[in-house]
Amino acid sequence: MDEGISYLLEQLQPLGAVSARRMFGGYGIFCDGLMFALIADEQLYFKVDSHNTGNYEQRDLPPFRYQRRHQWVELSYRLAPEGLIDEADELILWAADAVAAARRARGV
């Protein structure tokens, strides 16, 4: 696992059991078995839903998109604010909202 992912996981420890798994050519970030974030092209994206997407829209943070069979596919993840990884308290707030969105999506 690369140093950047290890550092992120260390910063996210206050959330509970966090882990990373290679996927999408990047990493899925999990808390208690639920994927709540992803790393793609060295960018951090958090899970969003109707409860927290406004925070991202206000800051004009784009959704995660990828191209499949000549069409763009958009997932319910949005780019994290720049520099958030180095702001421990703020990172935990944003990440906790993403974990809550992942739990709502799974009906947990």
Side-chain angles (χ1 to χ4, degrees):
M1 186 171 308
D2 86 19
E3 287 182 36
I5 300 299
S6 295
Y7 177 74
L8 175 63
L9 293 177
E10 183 180 307
Q11 295 292 87
L12 294 171
Q13 286 302 305
L15 293 175
V18 292
S19 61
R21 184 172 55 199
R22 276 193 120 345
M23 54 192 334
F24 309 124
Y27 287 89
I29 310 298
F30 297 81
C31 181
D32 299 323
L34 288 174
M35 187 168 150
F36 72 97
L38 63 89
I39 302 282
D41 297 322
E42 299 184 17
Q43 299 286 323
L44 174 63
Y45 294 84
F46 282 127
K47 178 81 171 153
V48 297
D49 64 8
S50 62
H51 291 88
N52 68 346
T53 196
N55 295 331
Y56 296 84
E57 290 172 350
Q58 288 172 358
R59 290 167 178 80
D60 222 12
L61 297 167
F64 174 72
R65 298 179 346 147
Y66 68 95
Q67 198 166 19
R68 181 176 60 189
R69 296 189 189 116
H70 308 294
Q71 290 187 348
W72 285 100
V73 176
E74 193 171 291
L75 299 182
S76 58
Y77 289 82
R78 286 202 173 235
L79 185 64
E82 190 174 326
L84 188 65
I85 291 174
D86 295 317
E87 299 294 330
D89 293 339
E90 197 71 12
L91 174 64
I92 293 302
L93 291 175
W94 285 78
D97 279 348
V99 169
R103 287 186 175 132
R104 287 188 293 268
R106 290 287 286 253
V108 178

